[in-house]
Amino acid sequence: MLARDRGRFADARKRLNECPLGSAALAGTPFPIDRRMTATTLGFDRPTGNSLDAVSDRDFALEFLSAASLCAMHLSRFAEELVIWCSAPYRLVELSDKFTTGSSIMPQKRNPDAAELVRAKIGRILGSFVGLLTVMKGLPLAYAKDTQEDKEPVFDAVEALTLSLAAMEGMVRDLTPNLARMRELAGGGFSTATDLADWLVRELKLPFRSAHHITGRLVAKADARQVGLADLSLAEMQQEYAAISEDVFSYLTVDASIASRTSEGGTAPDNVRDAAKAWIEVLS
C-alpha cells in the first residue's frame, strides 16, 4: 500500500511541477520574457502551457490531496490493526509508554492513543480534499478569489499526514510482538480445516465439494468434544471417510499450514522474508 502511495505522489509531481510565472492575470504578457528560463531557475520541470488554465487550475493541490487521502486511509487501516492487536482480547503486540497513555478510569489499562489518532487523521485529510474539490466545482476559467481557499486545506493535510507517517514509523519500531499469544490464537477456530480439505483433494483425489462436507463433519465432531482437529483419533476420522490415513496429522499443525502457502504472494515464512527484504529495499 505504501509503495502505491509513494508512486501516486511521484506521479502527481510529474504533472504539478509546472511554473505559472509569466501567465500574468490571465492572458500572458506582451513583454519579451523567457518563461522556460524562469521555470528552470526556480526548479520546475517546465512552464505551464496555458495562461488561463495556469491562473485558475488547482489540480496540483487536488491531486496531492487525493493521494494524501489514500495514504491516510492506508495508515488508518494499519492503525486499526494496531488498536486491535493491543486490545485485551488479543494482546498480540505491546506498545511502550511512548505511544500509549493510561486510562482515565482503569489504572491497569494502556490506551494506544497514537494509533487511534492516526486512525482519525483520515477525517481531516479527506475533508480537505472534499472541501477544495467543492470550492472548485463551479469556477469558470481564469482566476477567481474562491481559489484562495486552497492554502489552508493543503497545509493542514501536509501537517496531518507528516505527523501520521512519523507516528506510524515510531509505533512499528517500538512495538513488541507477543509470539506465544500469536501462536495460541493462530491455532484456534479450527484454522487448519482448509488444510484438511486440501489434503483430501490432493492425496485422496476427492472433489473439493466432497472434501468440504467431510471436513465440516469432522469439525463438528471436534467441536462437540471441545478439541482441535489434530486431537481427533485416526479412527474417529475414518468414521467419516475410511481412506484417511495417519499422514493427515502432519498437515494439521499451524506451522505446516503456514509453510504450505508457497504460491507467489503467499504467506509462507520464506515468502514473507523475501517480500520483506524486497519492500524494505524499495521503500528505503
Side-chain angles (χ1 to χ4, degrees):
M1 291 189 290
L2 290 175
R4 292 194 296 272
D5 290 327
R6 189 176 72 169
R8 273 184 281 268
F9 284 118
D11 189 50
R13 180 174 172 80
K14 293 176 184 177
R15 280 182 292 279
L16 68 83
N17 200 30
E18 297 182 333
C19 181
L21 186 65
S23 299
L26 76 160
T29 176
F31 293 97
I33 61 175
D34 184 348
R35 293 192 65 211
R36 293 197 173 274
M37 182 276 290
T38 54
T40 299
T41 301
L42 293 171
F44 291 92
D45 292 336
R46 59 197 168 271
T48 52
N50 182 294
S51 59
L52 287 172
D53 179 63
V55 298
S56 64
D57 169 56
R58 290 300 181 273
D59 283 4
F60 62 91
L62 289 167
E63 192 166 359
F64 167 78
L65 290 174
S66 174
S69 296
L70 280 168
C71 184
M73 179 269 291
H74 291 149
L75 294 176
S76 179
R77 293 179 62 191
F78 191 4
E80 170 66 357
E81 295 278 321
L82 292 178
V83 171
I84 293 172
W85 295 349
C86 288
S87 66
Y90 297 95
R91 296 181 286 107
L92 297 178
V93 302
E94 294 180 4
L95 290 169
S96 74
D97 290 348
K98 295 178 182 178
F99 296 96
T100 62
T101 58
S103 167
S104 60
I105 192 171
M106 293 179 284
Q108 83 285 4
K109 189 172 184 291
R110 305 297 297 173
N111 295 322
D113 283 359
E116 292 174 2
L117 290 169
V118 169
R119 187 176 58 183
K121 291 298 183 184
I122 175 63
R124 64 191 304 159
I125 295 173
L126 179 60
S128 294
F129 174 54
V130 174
L132 183 56
L133 193 67
T134 305
V135 167
M136 297 299 300
K137 73 173 182 62
L139 298 186
L141 291 177
Y143 179 73
K145 198 69 172 176
D146 311 50
T147 54
Q148 73 175 17
E149 290 295 317
D150 65 343
K151 309 299 184 298
E152 188 173 356
V154 171
F155 297 159
D156 184 75
V158 169
E159 182 178 356
L161 184 60
T162 301
L163 180 61
S164 296
L165 287 166
M168 186 59 70
E169 180 185 3
M171 285 187 285
V172 169
R173 293 182 183 279
D174 179 76
L175 67 82
T176 302
N178 185 342
L179 301 182
R181 181 61 174 164
M182 289 179 177
R183 176 171 289 278
E184 177 187 353
L185 292 183
F190 304 103
S191 61
T192 59
T194 301
D195 299 275
L196 173 56
D198 288 344
W199 184 86
L200 292 168
V201 171
R202 187 173 54 250
E203 301 298 328
L204 303 185
K205 311 306 179 186
L206 292 175
F208 189 81
R209 179 177 60 183
S210 299
H212 190 285
H213 291 326
I214 294 167
T215 300
R217 292 195 297 271
L218 288 170
V219 166
K221 183 175 290 190
D223 191 37
R225 285 188 49 204
Q226 298 288 293
V227 297
L229 277 172
D231 297 315
L232 293 174
S233 68
L234 179 59
E236 287 175 306
M237 289 197 173
Q238 289 175 338
Q239 287 173 359
E240 299 301 333
Y241 195 73
I244 294 177
S245 67
E246 190 77 32
D247 181 56
V248 71
F249 292 100
S250 63
Y251 291 85
L252 297 182
T253 66
V254 170
D255 287 339
S257 177
I258 294 171
S260 69
R261 270 58 185 176
T262 56
S263 60
E264 185 172 353
T267 54
D270 287 344
N271 291 35
V272 173
R273 280 188 285 268
D274 290 343
K277 181 180 178 180
W279 283 114
I280 288 171
E281 290 177 358
V282 168
L283 295 172
S284 295

